[in-house]
Amino acid sequence: MEPLHQALLALQELDQELQRAELALSEFEPQLAEIETPLNNLEKEVESTRSRLADLRAQATKLERAAEVKRDRLRVTEARLDKVRNPREEQAIHLEIDLVRKAADADDAEALQVMDQVTRTDLRLEELEKQLVKMREDATPRRAEVLQAKQDAETALAVLRDRRENEAGHLDVQSRRLYDRVRKGKANVALAPLTEEGACGHCFNVLPLQEQSLVKRGTTLHRCEACGVILYAA
């Protein structure tokens, strides 16, 4: 085999190794997502529950204040009974007292319902926060392990890329361009051997005898007319 074909084959092996290394590196993202997605979801649930609890407490406080305002009004209205001048006015004040008392009672009842929700939400938040602490403790060593493996893979990939650039730098410009162009179209295969039967080792198309001779001579880079790979004599 001619030195040029040997150099191109070595470059192809490096490219295939690079492709495997890039694939291996890409697999770390799903692993990290598997660790972090449940954690992120639980963190969002904790934050949402905490926000809900704050809203409920504010709502309860608002209802309690509204009830207190109505009871203050009720006391003022009841005090007016001492100053009534006729039955009609007394009847109107009693009606107002009844309405204000019902409104205050309604606010109290709603405030109690909201406070019940506050209690249940507070307990739920406490439970979620405990789960979050536990999940973080469990996730930390796993994440560190995956991140370390990912860093190692990135380092190995960088070394391979440097090697690839060094190998490619020893080729003449035309051969390198031809190789890159063929490999871009064929993904994994840029070179293939000529079989003993005179066929392309990639698509198994049988070459004319004259072309077989050109490939065996190895003085130029000859491509398969059917699939386009660069052929070499095995």
Side-chain angles (χ1 to χ4, degrees):
M1 188 188 303
E2 294 298 317
L4 178 57
H5 291 93
Q6 290 179 342
L8 289 174
L9 276 174
L11 187 60
Q12 179 170 269
E13 289 178 4
L14 265 177
D15 281 333
Q16 291 172 344
E17 192 175 353
L18 266 168
Q19 193 170 37
R20 290 192 295 271
E22 288 168 349
L23 178 61
L25 182 60
S26 70
E27 292 173 352
F28 286 108
E29 290 306 320
Q31 292 181 43
L32 288 171
E34 185 180 352
I35 296 170
E36 293 174 353
T37 299
L39 185 59
N40 292 338
N41 290 340
L42 185 55
E43 287 174 344
K44 288 178 182 177
E45 187 176 358
V46 167
E47 188 57 37
S48 174
T49 305
R50 189 176 289 127
S51 177
R52 171 68 176 159
L53 180 60
D55 291 343
L56 286 171
R57 283 174 172 162
Q59 184 181 354
T61 300
K62 184 177 179 180
L63 287 167
E64 288 170 350
R65 288 175 179 172
E68 186 60 34
V69 168
K70 290 180 177 66
R71 298 207 181 281
D72 288 342
R73 179 183 170 186
L74 185 61
R75 285 189 286 272
V76 172
T77 306
E78 288 173 339
R80 286 166 51 198
L81 284 173
D82 297 334
K83 302 176 182 179
V84 295
R85 291 172 292 184
N86 54 66
R88 184 176 179 181
E89 186 177 349
E90 181 180 0
Q91 182 181 6
I93 292 175
H94 277 297
L95 178 60
E96 182 179 351
I97 288 172
D98 187 51
L99 291 174
V100 173
R101 181 179 290 112
K102 287 180 178 179
D105 290 345
D107 284 344
D108 284 337
E110 188 176 354
L112 286 174
Q113 291 178 352
V114 173
M115 284 306 299
D116 181 60
Q117 293 182 54
V118 167
T119 300
R120 286 187 279 110
T121 305
D122 198 11
L123 291 173
R124 175 60 177 163
L125 179 60
E126 184 179 352
E127 178 186 348
L128 288 173
E129 287 175 336
K130 289 178 180 178
Q131 291 178 16
L132 183 58
V133 170
K134 179 69 165 58
M135 187 177 288
R136 281 173 175 165
E137 290 175 351
D138 293 342
T140 296
R142 291 177 57 207
R143 185 196 289 113
E145 182 180 348
V146 173
L147 287 174
Q148 182 60 56
K150 182 183 178 184
Q151 184 179 344
D152 293 343
E154 288 171 341
T155 301
L157 182 59
V159 171
L160 282 173
R161 284 173 175 163
D162 286 342
R163 283 178 55 196
R164 200 268 182 195
E165 192 61 31
N166 184 56
E167 289 284 347
H170 294 150
L171 296 170
D172 63 273
V173 176
Q174 287 185 341
S175 298
R176 179 175 179 176
R177 285 178 179 171
L178 176 61
Y179 168 86
D180 288 338
R181 186 166 66 251
V182 174
R183 189 174 183 279
K184 186 177 181 181
K186 299 298 175 184
N188 288 328
V189 180
L191 286 88
L194 182 70
T195 68
E196 293 181 359
E197 295 78 15
C200 169
H202 181 251
C203 70
F204 302 102
N205 176 63
V206 178
L207 278 66
L209 292 176
Q210 185 179 357
E211 290 188 25
Q212 293 181 35
S213 298
L214 289 173
V215 173
K216 291 175 181 177
R217 197 174 302 143
T219 55
T220 60
L221 295 180
H222 189 81
R223 298 177 66 184
C224 172
E225 290 184 356
C227 67
V229 299
I230 301 168
L231 293 168
Y232 65 90

